[in-house]
Amino acid sequence: MLHSITQSLIHSINMKLDYLDQLESEAIHIMREVAGQFERPALLFSGGKDSITLVHLARKAFRPGKFPFPLVHIDTGHNFQEALDFRDWLAESLGEKLIVRYVEDTIREKKLKEPTGRNASRNALQTFTLLDTIEEFEFDACIGGARRDEEKARAKERVFSVRDEFGSWDPKRQRPELWDTYNGKIHKGENVRVFPISNWTELDVWNYIKRENIALPSIYFAHDRECLLRDGKLLATAGGVIQREEADELVTRRVRFRTVGDISCTAAVESTADTLESVIAEIQATRISERGETRIDDQVSEAAMEDRKKGGYF
């Protein structure tokens, strides 16, 4: 009986490791397909956990050579400093090219109207800067860390998601991807958004980070932070991005961030999870997706994400 139980435990452990190995192998295969099928790809890199995981996978796919694409960040000017510092450190330590373009510059050059009022965010304005950057460098493929479990519109994506010459996404134009065959054929002016970890879940990412001992910004782990309590959400006061309203309560809480977007639209969660093991245990216990719990911009309407994607959002 004891032997049977031991064998069962070993089998369970091997299945878990095999599952991560399969996800890793698929992602590496996709990255190599990008390198083989496209002339000017780029990897969108924000300093968040998903894009950090992509960089780690790129190291496995292409080292000891250089990456066949630059790292690109569209900086809204409202990012968390911890993520920006980590972004710069990782790019420098790897010796890889980092291209940064600023939404602030796009607002000024195109005379865009910046959103104002309650929960105003530059997040949607990233689209203009991203499309300009794609045109500037003639990128024909942009690799990103979107996953199908994040949000309903994400689940409609293929791994190779074709965008038209205006950068917009049409869910009806998605191509079949049978037997892991990815079709990167595009017309001039079109580009493809590629999602190597599309089949991963948030828990998969964290288990992989733990297994691979991948470094992360401290913002992902529990720490004491001054926050504004607004409509039940804990918003960071860092950088003065969010203006305090009369109904807001200024509090100091022990929090961490499940996802790292703009300060203006990303809420923290109360947590004591300050290690990889405790973060994983916390995620296993939750039934709310990371974007569903913490991304205010996704809660504007039922189709908020899909509407932004149709307009060229990543």
Side-chain angles (χ1 to χ4, degrees):
M1 176 66 74
L2 182 60
H3 175 74
S4 176
I5 294 173
T6 302
Q7 290 297 107
S8 179
L9 287 172
I10 292 173
H11 177 71
S12 297
I13 293 170
N14 285 337
M15 285 292 288
K16 182 178 180 181
L17 292 176
D18 287 346
Y19 181 56
L20 291 177
D21 287 340
Q22 289 170 17
L23 290 175
E24 177 189 74
S25 178
E26 178 188 52
I28 289 172
H29 168 66
I30 291 166
M31 285 197 169
R32 289 173 176 166
E33 282 291 303
V34 171
Q37 292 195 45
F38 298 96
E39 294 183 6
R40 296 183 184 87
L43 192 156
L44 299 186
F45 177 59
S46 65
K49 70 180 188 309
D50 296 318
S51 60
I52 291 169
T53 298
L54 287 179
V55 170
H56 183 81
L57 290 163
R59 292 175 66 182
K60 289 201 167 189
F62 303 111
R63 284 295 191 252
K66 299 281 287 183
F67 292 177
F69 38 67
L71 308 179
V72 176
H73 184 213
I74 305 303
D75 189 342
T76 65
H78 292 168
N79 300 102
F80 288 96
Q81 192 60 47
E82 295 97 322
L84 294 178
D85 291 343
F86 192 94
R87 175 201 71 186
D88 295 341
W89 168 81
L90 185 57
E92 183 178 357
S93 66
L94 291 172
E96 296 293 344
K97 182 178 181 180
L98 172 65
I99 297 170
V100 182
R101 290 295 180 267
Y102 299 92
V103 172
E104 185 78 44
D105 293 338
T106 307
I107 292 173
R108 184 178 61 256
E109 292 164 7
K110 292 183 178 293
K111 296 181 172 56
L112 298 177
K113 184 176 180 181
E114 187 167 354
T116 59
R118 186 178 181 80
N119 297 327
S121 173
R122 288 180 176 176
N123 205 32
L125 298 183
Q126 289 182 86
T127 298
F128 296 95
T129 311
L130 174 60
L131 295 179
D132 285 349
T133 305
I134 289 172
E135 183 178 3
E136 177 185 356
F137 294 96
E138 298 183 338
F139 293 136
D140 50 4
C142 292
I143 302 168
R147 307 185 322 268
R148 288 181 177 137
D149 72 320
E150 289 180 279
E151 201 273 342
K152 290 183 292 185
R154 299 283 203 203
K156 296 181 181 180
E157 293 273 18
R158 295 289 194 266
V159 173
F160 275 28
S161 180
V162 178
R163 306 299 174 106
D164 66 21
E165 63 271 27
F166 304 106
S168 59
W169 171 75
D170 183 354
K172 295 180 181 179
R173 290 187 63 211
Q174 296 295 292
R175 297 167 175 175
E177 293 177 338
L178 305 175
W179 304 289
D180 296 334
T181 300
Y182 305 108
N183 181 1
K185 187 175 181 179
I186 54 175
H187 298 293
K188 184 175 177 59
E190 295 179 333
N191 65 85
V192 174
R193 312 294 170 84
V194 180
F195 306 111
I197 60 172
S198 183
N199 290 326
W200 299 40
T201 66
E202 181 187 13
L203 186 58
D204 294 332
V205 171
W206 279 101
N207 277 324
Y208 186 73
I209 287 169
K210 180 177 182 296
R211 191 186 82 168
E212 299 292 306
N213 195 29
I214 300 172
L216 292 176
S218 59
I219 197 170
Y220 281 109
F221 301 96
H223 58 285
D224 293 329
R225 181 182 286 263
E226 184 181 75
C227 302
L228 290 178
L229 182 59
R230 175 185 293 177
D231 300 331
K233 303 286 188 184
L234 290 167
L235 305 177
T237 59
V241 173
I242 300 176
Q243 299 302 310
R244 184 179 179 183
E245 298 180 352
E246 187 175 347
D248 296 337
E249 183 182 353
L250 190 62
V251 298
T252 298
R253 299 284 173 83
R254 192 156 186 79
V255 300
R256 71 177 190 86
F257 288 83
R258 290 180 67 184
T259 180
V260 180
D262 265 19
I263 293 172
S264 60
C265 60
T266 306
V269 294
E270 287 197 73
S271 174
T272 58
D274 56 4
T275 65
L276 285 170
E277 291 79 7
S278 55
V279 168
I280 289 170
E282 192 173 89
I283 294 168
Q284 286 175 323
T286 189
R287 292 296 178 266
I288 306 174
S289 72
E290 58 196 292
R291 294 189 72 97
E293 183 174 21
T294 66
R295 291 301 291 268
I296 297 168
D297 53 335
D298 286 349
Q299 298 169 23
V300 174
S301 72
E302 284 289 322
M305 170 66 81
E306 185 159 335
D307 290 341
R308 294 201 303 275
K309 285 161 63 65
K310 287 179 178 178
Y313 187 78
F314 193 77

